[in-house]
Amino acid sequence: MSIPKNHHYISQIHIKNFFNNQKKEIYLYDKELENCFTKNTTKSIFSEKNLNTKQIDNTFDYSSIEKDLNDNFEKDFGSNFNIIKNFIEDHNLNDDVENAILYFAKYGVISELRTPFRKKHADDAIFKGMSVIMEMGDENLKKEFSDYFTFNDKRKYTNTIDYNEFAHKVLKSMGEIMYIIEIPENENDYFLLPDFGAATRREKINTYFNPDVKEIAYIGLPLSSKIYIHFYSRKLKDVNYSQIRSISSGQVYLLNKANLDYSNKLVACENFNYLSNFTKRICGMN
């Protein structure tokens, strides 16, 4: 059986929360081309061939990262999403809801790390940092270093990060997590899904020998077209309680604009009319 090599950097089960099931379409905006277009499947959206491929000696590993993502971030996505939807309806906070909140905080933490542009940026930074040291090494060491950072269509990134371990460390550092779940009060408003998945912000939330160390203290996740979750470390002190709230069209617009501005290239939307009107407004301001 062939092994899939088209790897998503935003999980398909997440993308499907922005898919128009009635029309069997999803709508995207390319901010570089200033162009709206339509796809009738999520298979080729926010994905790249061999994105998660690793190389061990002369063997290509297409599956281990994909399995880790499925086991820890995707397999229970649908059931936890339903828990959040029910919580919005009945406001019954229980252990299942609290676990679902943590599940999506964990998912949001790693979202941008999975993207091609973040992976390339990380590899470039490591290469630059180590190249000075490598210049002092012998020829064999230099060759190993050069080979390790030589990429092609089969292996595009080093892919050394353990996503599950990273997420656990971040959540431990954040401590108690407060959340704000936002839903549009206008049924004609929709949240956009940007190509980085979820936003994070770093602040000084822990005390270290180096006082300048900043760690992830906020996560912003557009969970679906109608649900946006903000996660805050309680250590920030400016958010000391959790809530569910409806937000105005203006607030939805500002969230979507921030995500479009920060996106690398693309955003996705469930509703074509909303996306078209939103992007016309954005273009009119430029």
Side-chain angles (χ1 to χ4, degrees):
M1 185 173 65
S2 62
I3 300 173
K5 299 176 185 177
N6 181 52
H7 301 150
H8 282 81
Y9 50 93
I10 299 179
S11 300
Q12 276 202 84
I13 194 167
H14 187 193
I15 303 172
K16 287 177 180 178
N17 282 346
F18 298 80
F19 190 83
N20 190 317
N21 290 309
Q22 183 178 6
K23 295 188 176 182
K24 306 299 181 186
E25 295 175 336
I26 189 170
Y27 312 103
L28 296 105
Y29 177 72
D30 185 321
K31 72 178 187 180
E32 293 179 359
L33 300 178
E34 297 186 352
N35 177 51
C36 290
F37 61 100
T38 302
K39 291 277 190 178
N40 57 15
T41 178
T42 61
K43 291 182 179 180
S44 61
I45 298 172
F46 303 137
S47 67
E48 183 179 279
K49 186 177 180 182
N50 287 320
L51 174 76
N52 293 325
T53 299
K54 297 195 296 184
Q55 186 173 356
I56 303 173
D57 296 325
N58 294 319
T59 303
F60 292 106
D61 174 3
Y62 304 105
S63 304
S64 62
I65 293 179
E66 290 287 287
K67 184 178 185 306
D68 173 52
L69 290 169
N70 180 66
D71 289 347
N72 296 294
F73 302 95
E74 298 172 344
K75 181 178 63 177
D76 298 319
F77 192 105
S79 59
N80 281 298
F81 177 66
N82 287 332
I83 289 171
I84 296 297
K85 285 201 302 181
N86 291 335
F87 177 52
I88 292 171
E89 293 294 325
D90 61 27
H91 290 228
N92 179 25
L93 180 63
N94 54 39
D95 289 345
D96 287 342
V97 173
E98 291 182 346
N99 288 333
I101 293 292
L102 290 175
Y103 178 90
F104 287 119
K106 179 181 171 184
Y107 175 88
V109 161
I110 70 157
S111 290
E112 190 174 11
L113 293 178
R114 299 171 57 181
T115 63
F117 35 94
R118 180 61 184 271
K119 288 188 178 191
K120 184 179 186 309
H121 177 78
D123 283 344
D124 288 347
I126 295 170
F127 178 85
K128 183 178 180 180
M130 293 183 62
S131 58
V132 176
I133 299 174
M134 289 300 105
E135 285 300 315
M136 297 183 288
D138 60 28
E139 292 305 313
N140 287 334
L141 187 61
K142 288 180 181 179
K143 184 178 186 307
E144 288 180 11
F145 177 73
S146 176
D147 290 345
Y148 186 72
F149 284 96
T150 297
F151 304 113
N152 51 46
D153 287 342
K154 292 184 177 180
R155 188 189 73 121
K156 298 180 177 179
Y157 315 99
T158 58
N159 281 323
T160 56
I161 190 168
D162 183 322
Y163 292 115
N164 192 39
E165 181 183 359
F166 178 84
H168 278 297
K169 287 182 177 179
V170 170
L171 293 190
K172 182 178 180 181
S173 167
M174 289 179 71
E176 184 181 1
I177 291 178
M178 315 305 292
Y179 61 85
I180 297 176
I181 299 176
E182 295 180 332
I183 54 177
E185 61 183 15
N186 187 331
E187 65 177 10
N188 295 315
D189 286 332
Y190 298 83
F191 294 122
L192 305 182
L193 176 64
D195 55 14
F196 55 86
T200 58
R201 188 179 82 233
R202 292 177 177 267
E203 299 287 350
K204 299 176 186 178
I205 56 174
N206 293 300
T207 302
Y208 298 103
F209 179 76
N210 181 353
D212 296 325
V213 172
K214 292 184 177 182
E215 297 171 281
I216 292 175
Y218 163 81
I219 308 156
L221 174 65
L223 185 58
S224 76
S225 293
K226 299 293 185 179
I227 303 173
Y228 204 110
I229 310 183
H230 305 268
F231 306 90
Y232 300 86
S233 168
R234 183 69 176 268
K235 299 173 187 178
L236 286 173
K237 301 187 185 306
D238 54 348
V239 178
N240 53 20
Y241 63 93
S242 297
Q243 64 175 307
I244 301 171
R245 68 186 184 192
S246 297
I247 61 174
S248 68
S249 294
Q251 291 170 303
V252 173
Y253 169 81
L254 290 175
L255 270 176
N256 286 336
K257 184 179 185 303
N259 282 328
L260 175 63
D261 289 344
Y262 188 68
S263 67
N264 184 58
K265 185 177 182 181
L266 295 174
V267 294
C269 185
E270 179 181 330
N271 186 277
F272 179 80
N273 288 335
Y274 180 87
L275 182 63
S276 178
N277 292 332
F278 171 80
T279 54
K280 286 177 182 176
R281 181 177 176 184
I282 293 291
C283 291
M285 294 172 60
N286 295 335

